[in-house]
Amino acid sequence: MLPELLAYGARVLPGLLLIGGCYALARGERDPLARVMALVLAFILIRDAMTPLGFWRIGTAGAVPWLRFTDQAGVLVVFGLGTVAATVAVLRLDAGLRSLVRWGRFGPGTVVWGAGGGALAAAPVLLLSLTTPLDGRGGAVAVALLPVLLLFSLAGNLAEEVLFRGFLQGRLEQRLDATRAALLSALLFAACHAFLASTVTDAGWPLLAFTLYEGLICAFLRVRHGVTTAALAHGIAIFLLAAGLV
Protein backbone atom coordinates (compact mmCIF):
# COMPACT_ATOMS: atom_id res chain seq x y z
CA MET A 1 0.00 0.00 0.00
CA LEU A 2 2.72 2.50 0.95
CA PRO A 3 4.57 2.44 -2.42
CA GLU A 4 1.29 3.12 -4.26
CA LEU A 5 0.42 6.03 -1.96
CA LEU A 6 3.92 7.50 -2.31
CA ALA A 7 3.68 7.25 -6.10
CA TYR A 8 0.30 8.94 -5.96
CA GLY A 9 1.64 11.71 -3.74
CA ALA A 10 4.54 12.35 -6.11
CA ARG A 11 2.12 12.55 -9.02
CA VAL A 12 -0.23 15.14 -7.48
CA LEU A 13 2.21 17.22 -5.40
CA PRO A 14 3.43 19.62 -8.14
CA GLY A 15 -0.11 20.51 -9.14
CA LEU A 16 -1.23 20.89 -5.54
CA LEU A 17 1.66 23.27 -4.86
CA LEU A 18 0.61 25.47 -7.77
CA ILE A 19 -3.03 25.41 -6.72
CA GLY A 20 -2.01 26.13 -3.12
CA GLY A 21 -0.15 29.21 -4.34
CA CYS A 22 -3.30 30.40 -6.13
CA TYR A 23 -5.34 29.86 -2.97
CA ALA A 24 -2.81 31.72 -0.82
CA LEU A 25 -2.75 34.73 -3.17
CA ALA A 26 -6.55 34.87 -3.09
CA ARG A 27 -6.84 34.68 0.72
CA GLY A 28 -7.08 38.46 1.12
CA GLU A 29 -9.96 38.85 -1.34
CA ARG A 30 -13.42 39.53 0.08
CA ASP A 31 -15.00 37.65 -2.81
CA PRO A 32 -14.30 33.96 -2.08
CA LEU A 33 -14.93 32.76 -5.65
CA ALA A 34 -11.23 32.47 -6.60
CA ARG A 35 -10.54 30.39 -3.49
CA VAL A 36 -13.53 28.19 -4.22
CA MET A 37 -12.33 27.51 -7.75
CA ALA A 38 -8.79 26.78 -6.53
CA LEU A 39 -10.17 24.18 -4.14
CA VAL A 40 -12.34 22.67 -6.88
CA LEU A 41 -9.25 22.35 -9.10
CA ALA A 42 -7.38 20.67 -6.24
CA PHE A 43 -10.20 18.19 -5.72
CA ILE A 44 -10.35 17.37 -9.45
CA LEU A 45 -6.60 16.71 -9.47
CA ILE A 46 -6.78 14.52 -6.35
CA ARG A 47 -9.76 12.57 -7.74
CA ASP A 48 -8.67 12.11 -11.34
CA ALA A 49 -5.11 11.08 -10.43
CA MET A 50 -6.57 8.04 -8.67
CA THR A 51 -7.34 6.51 -12.07
CA PRO A 52 -3.90 5.83 -13.63
CA LEU A 53 -2.68 4.28 -10.36
CA GLY A 54 -5.61 1.87 -10.24
CA PHE A 55 -7.28 3.23 -7.11
CA TRP A 56 -10.55 3.17 -9.02
CA ARG A 57 -11.89 2.07 -12.39
CA ILE A 58 -14.66 3.67 -14.43
CA GLY A 59 -16.16 2.18 -17.55
CA THR A 60 -19.36 1.65 -19.45
CA ALA A 61 -21.45 -1.38 -20.29
CA GLY A 62 -23.11 -0.19 -23.47
CA ALA A 63 -24.32 3.26 -22.48
CA VAL A 64 -24.43 2.54 -18.75
CA PRO A 65 -21.54 3.72 -16.54
CA TRP A 66 -20.02 1.56 -13.81
CA LEU A 67 -17.29 2.10 -11.22
CA ARG A 68 -15.20 0.06 -8.85
CA PHE A 69 -12.65 1.09 -6.22
CA THR A 70 -9.46 -0.62 -5.18
CA ASP A 71 -9.81 -3.66 -2.95
CA GLN A 72 -7.04 -2.33 -0.68
CA ALA A 73 -8.99 -1.32 2.42
CA GLY A 74 -6.08 0.68 3.80
CA VAL A 75 -5.97 2.90 0.72
CA LEU A 76 -9.69 3.61 0.99
CA VAL A 77 -9.36 4.47 4.68
CA VAL A 78 -6.42 6.82 4.02
CA PHE A 79 -8.28 8.62 1.23
CA GLY A 80 -11.51 8.82 3.20
CA LEU A 81 -9.99 10.15 6.42
CA GLY A 82 -7.60 12.38 4.48
CA THR A 83 -10.41 14.14 2.62
CA VAL A 84 -12.34 14.64 5.85
CA ALA A 85 -9.26 16.10 7.54
CA ALA A 86 -8.62 18.45 4.60
CA THR A 87 -12.26 19.57 4.58
CA VAL A 88 -12.26 20.25 8.31
CA ALA A 89 -9.00 22.20 7.99
CA VAL A 90 -10.39 24.45 5.25
CA LEU A 91 -13.59 25.06 7.21
CA ARG A 92 -11.66 25.96 10.36
CA LEU A 93 -9.08 28.18 8.69
CA ASP A 94 -11.23 30.05 6.15
CA ALA A 95 -14.13 31.86 7.80
CA GLY A 96 -15.22 33.35 4.48
CA LEU A 97 -15.78 29.93 2.96
CA ARG A 98 -17.22 28.52 6.16
CA SER A 99 -19.95 31.17 6.14
CA LEU A 100 -21.15 29.96 2.72
CA VAL A 101 -22.06 26.46 3.92
CA ARG A 102 -25.68 25.91 4.93
CA TRP A 103 -25.59 22.54 6.65
CA GLY A 104 -29.28 22.20 7.52
CA ARG A 105 -30.65 20.44 10.55
CA PHE A 106 -29.53 16.90 11.23
CA GLY A 107 -32.27 14.50 12.23
CA PRO A 108 -34.29 11.53 11.00
CA GLY A 109 -35.47 13.58 8.02
CA THR A 110 -31.87 14.10 6.96
CA VAL A 111 -31.30 10.35 6.80
CA VAL A 112 -34.59 9.70 4.99
CA TRP A 113 -34.07 12.41 2.37
CA GLY A 114 -30.39 11.60 1.99
CA ALA A 115 -30.96 7.88 1.58
CA GLY A 116 -33.87 8.51 -0.77
CA GLY A 117 -31.85 10.94 -2.86
CA GLY A 118 -28.95 8.51 -3.07
CA ALA A 119 -31.21 5.65 -4.12
CA LEU A 120 -32.92 7.88 -6.69
CA ALA A 121 -29.55 8.90 -8.16
CA ALA A 122 -28.26 5.33 -8.40
CA ALA A 123 -31.51 3.64 -9.47
CA PRO A 124 -31.45 4.34 -13.24
CA VAL A 125 -27.87 3.10 -13.57
CA LEU A 126 -28.52 0.01 -11.48
CA LEU A 127 -31.72 -0.88 -13.33
CA LEU A 128 -30.13 -0.43 -16.76
CA SER A 129 -27.17 -2.52 -15.60
CA LEU A 130 -29.28 -5.60 -14.91
CA THR A 131 -29.00 -6.76 -18.51
CA THR A 132 -25.19 -6.91 -18.22
CA PRO A 133 -23.50 -9.67 -16.17
CA LEU A 134 -21.61 -8.42 -13.12
CA ASP A 135 -18.28 -9.43 -14.68
CA GLY A 136 -18.98 -7.03 -17.55
CA ARG A 137 -19.33 -4.02 -15.24
CA GLY A 138 -16.47 -4.23 -12.81
CA GLY A 139 -17.03 -7.59 -11.15
CA ALA A 140 -18.04 -8.59 -7.65
CA VAL A 141 -16.88 -6.77 -4.53
CA ALA A 142 -15.77 -8.65 -1.40
CA VAL A 143 -18.37 -8.47 1.36
CA ALA A 144 -15.63 -7.67 3.90
CA LEU A 145 -14.75 -4.54 1.93
CA LEU A 146 -18.27 -3.06 1.98
CA PRO A 147 -18.06 -1.26 5.37
CA VAL A 148 -14.79 0.40 4.33
CA LEU A 149 -16.27 1.27 0.94
CA LEU A 150 -19.24 2.90 2.66
CA LEU A 151 -16.92 4.93 4.89
CA PHE A 152 -14.90 6.03 1.87
CA SER A 153 -18.00 6.92 -0.17
CA LEU A 154 -19.50 9.05 2.60
CA ALA A 155 -16.21 10.74 3.52
CA GLY A 156 -14.98 11.46 0.01
CA ASN A 157 -18.31 12.77 -1.19
CA LEU A 158 -18.76 14.91 1.91
CA ALA A 159 -15.71 16.83 0.70
CA GLU A 160 -17.14 17.10 -2.82
CA GLU A 161 -20.50 18.32 -1.57
CA VAL A 162 -18.92 20.91 0.71
CA LEU A 163 -17.09 22.22 -2.36
CA PHE A 164 -19.95 22.23 -4.85
CA ARG A 165 -23.08 22.59 -2.73
CA GLY A 166 -21.49 24.37 0.21
CA PHE A 167 -18.90 26.81 -1.11
CA LEU A 168 -19.87 27.11 -4.78
CA GLN A 169 -23.65 26.99 -4.52
CA GLY A 170 -23.53 29.21 -1.45
CA ARG A 171 -21.47 31.77 -3.36
CA LEU A 172 -23.78 31.59 -6.39
CA GLU A 173 -26.80 32.26 -4.19
CA GLN A 174 -25.28 35.61 -3.29
CA ARG A 175 -25.85 36.73 -6.91
CA LEU A 176 -28.58 34.40 -8.23
CA ASP A 177 -31.90 33.07 -7.01
CA ALA A 178 -31.82 29.63 -5.38
CA THR A 179 -33.10 27.74 -8.43
CA ARG A 180 -30.59 29.24 -10.87
CA ALA A 181 -27.78 28.72 -8.35
CA ALA A 182 -28.76 25.06 -7.98
CA LEU A 183 -28.91 24.53 -11.73
CA LEU A 184 -25.55 26.21 -12.27
CA SER A 185 -24.01 24.21 -9.43
CA ALA A 186 -25.22 20.96 -11.03
CA LEU A 187 -23.98 21.94 -14.49
CA LEU A 188 -20.56 22.95 -13.15
CA PHE A 189 -20.39 19.74 -11.15
CA ALA A 190 -21.00 17.67 -14.29
CA ALA A 191 -18.61 19.82 -16.35
CA CYS A 192 -15.86 19.18 -13.80
CA HIS A 193 -16.09 15.49 -14.76
CA ALA A 194 -15.41 16.22 -18.43
CA PHE A 195 -11.69 15.37 -18.32
CA LEU A 196 -12.38 12.27 -16.25
CA ALA A 197 -14.94 11.14 -18.83
CA SER A 198 -13.05 12.07 -21.99
CA THR A 199 -9.31 11.90 -21.34
CA VAL A 200 -8.55 10.15 -18.05
CA THR A 201 -11.02 7.37 -18.92
CA ASP A 202 -13.11 6.56 -21.99
CA ALA A 203 -16.44 6.56 -20.11
CA GLY A 204 -17.63 9.48 -22.26
CA TRP A 205 -21.11 10.97 -22.23
CA PRO A 206 -22.76 8.32 -19.99
CA LEU A 207 -20.60 9.48 -17.09
CA LEU A 208 -21.44 13.13 -17.81
CA ALA A 209 -25.15 12.33 -18.02
CA PHE A 210 -25.04 10.54 -14.68
CA THR A 211 -23.08 13.29 -12.94
CA LEU A 212 -25.51 15.93 -14.23
CA TYR A 213 -28.49 13.89 -13.00
CA GLU A 214 -26.84 13.24 -9.63
CA GLY A 215 -25.74 16.89 -9.40
CA LEU A 216 -29.31 18.11 -9.91
CA ILE A 217 -30.59 15.83 -7.16
CA CYS A 218 -27.89 16.95 -4.73
CA ALA A 219 -28.24 20.64 -5.65
CA PHE A 220 -31.96 20.72 -4.96
CA LEU A 221 -31.56 18.66 -1.79
CA ARG A 222 -29.13 21.35 -0.68
CA VAL A 223 -31.72 24.07 -1.40
CA ARG A 224 -34.40 22.28 0.58
CA HIS A 225 -32.50 20.48 3.33
CA GLY A 226 -28.87 21.64 3.38
CA VAL A 227 -25.42 20.29 2.57
CA THR A 228 -25.59 17.42 5.07
CA THR A 229 -28.50 15.81 3.25
CA ALA A 230 -26.89 16.37 -0.16
CA ALA A 231 -23.63 14.82 1.05
CA LEU A 232 -25.45 11.78 2.42
CA ALA A 233 -27.30 11.32 -0.89
CA HIS A 234 -24.09 11.63 -2.90
CA GLY A 235 -22.21 9.18 -0.69
CA ILE A 236 -24.98 6.59 -0.75
CA ALA A 237 -25.34 6.85 -4.52
CA ILE A 238 -21.64 6.21 -5.07
CA PHE A 239 -21.65 3.34 -2.58
CA LEU A 240 -24.61 1.68 -4.32
CA LEU A 241 -22.93 1.98 -7.70
CA ALA A 242 -19.54 0.73 -6.49
CA ALA A 243 -20.65 -2.07 -4.14
CA GLY A 244 -21.64 -4.58 -6.82
CA LEU A 245 -24.78 -5.55 -4.90
CA VAL A 246 -26.97 -5.62 -8.02
Side-chain angles (χ1 to χ4, degrees):
M1 180 183 81
L2 185 58
E4 291 91 339
L5 290 174
L6 290 175
Y8 172 84
R11 181 181 290 261
V12 300
L13 183 59
L16 290 179
L17 289 175
L18 289 173
I19 294 169
C22 295
Y23 178 88
L25 287 173
R27 277 298 300 271
E29 294 295 320
R30 293 184 61 185
D31 187 342
L33 187 57
R35 302 199 302 280
V36 173
M37 297 315 298
L39 291 173
V40 168
L41 286 173
F43 183 84
I44 292 171
L45 172 61
I46 290 168
R47 180 197 66 200
D48 290 5
M50 292 172 62
T51 312
L53 292 177
F55 292 151
W56 71 342
R57 294 176 292 132
I58 299 174
T60 55
V64 184
W66 58 263
L67 74 155
R68 290 292 185 272
F69 292 96
T70 177
D71 59 2
Q72 297 186 67
V75 169
L76 295 178
V77 170
V78 168
F79 272 105
L81 296 182
T83 54
V84 169
T87 303
V88 170
V90 171
L91 288 168
R92 287 181 61 88
L93 296 173
D94 196 323
L97 294 183
R98 186 170 65 245
S99 67
L100 297 172
V101 183
R102 184 168 68 81
W103 293 102
R105 293 183 178 180
F106 184 81
T110 304
V111 177
V112 171
W113 280 102
L120 181 65
V125 174
L126 294 177
L127 290 174
L128 291 170
S129 296
L130 292 177
T131 58
T132 302
L134 196 58
D135 288 343
R137 44 190 171 91
V141 177
V143 174
L145 189 66
L146 294 180
V148 177
L149 182 59
L150 179 61
L151 169 67
F152 170 81
S153 299
L154 293 173
N157 291 293
L158 169 65
E160 196 165 9
E161 287 303 304
V162 168
L163 283 174
F164 282 93
R165 253 58 72 175
F167 300 157
L168 181 58
Q169 193 165 329
R171 170 60 180 77
L172 292 172
E173 285 183 347
Q174 294 178 343
R175 302 292 178 89
L176 305 172
D177 62 75
T179 298
R180 289 179 66 194
L183 290 172
L184 186 51
S185 166
L187 285 167
L188 288 168
F189 173 74
C192 286
H193 290 77
F195 290 107
L196 181 63
S198 302
T199 61
V200 182
T201 73
D202 59 358
W205 70 264
L207 177 60
L208 296 181
F210 169 73
T211 53
L212 177 58
Y213 172 64
E214 181 192 38
L216 288 168
I217 291 172
C218 291
F220 283 100
L221 282 174
R222 150 62 177 78
V223 171
R224 191 74 181 272
H225 301 286
V227 171
T228 303
T229 304
L232 183 59
H234 193 162
I236 288 175
I238 296 303
F239 172 74
L240 291 174
L241 294 179
L245 299 175
V246 176

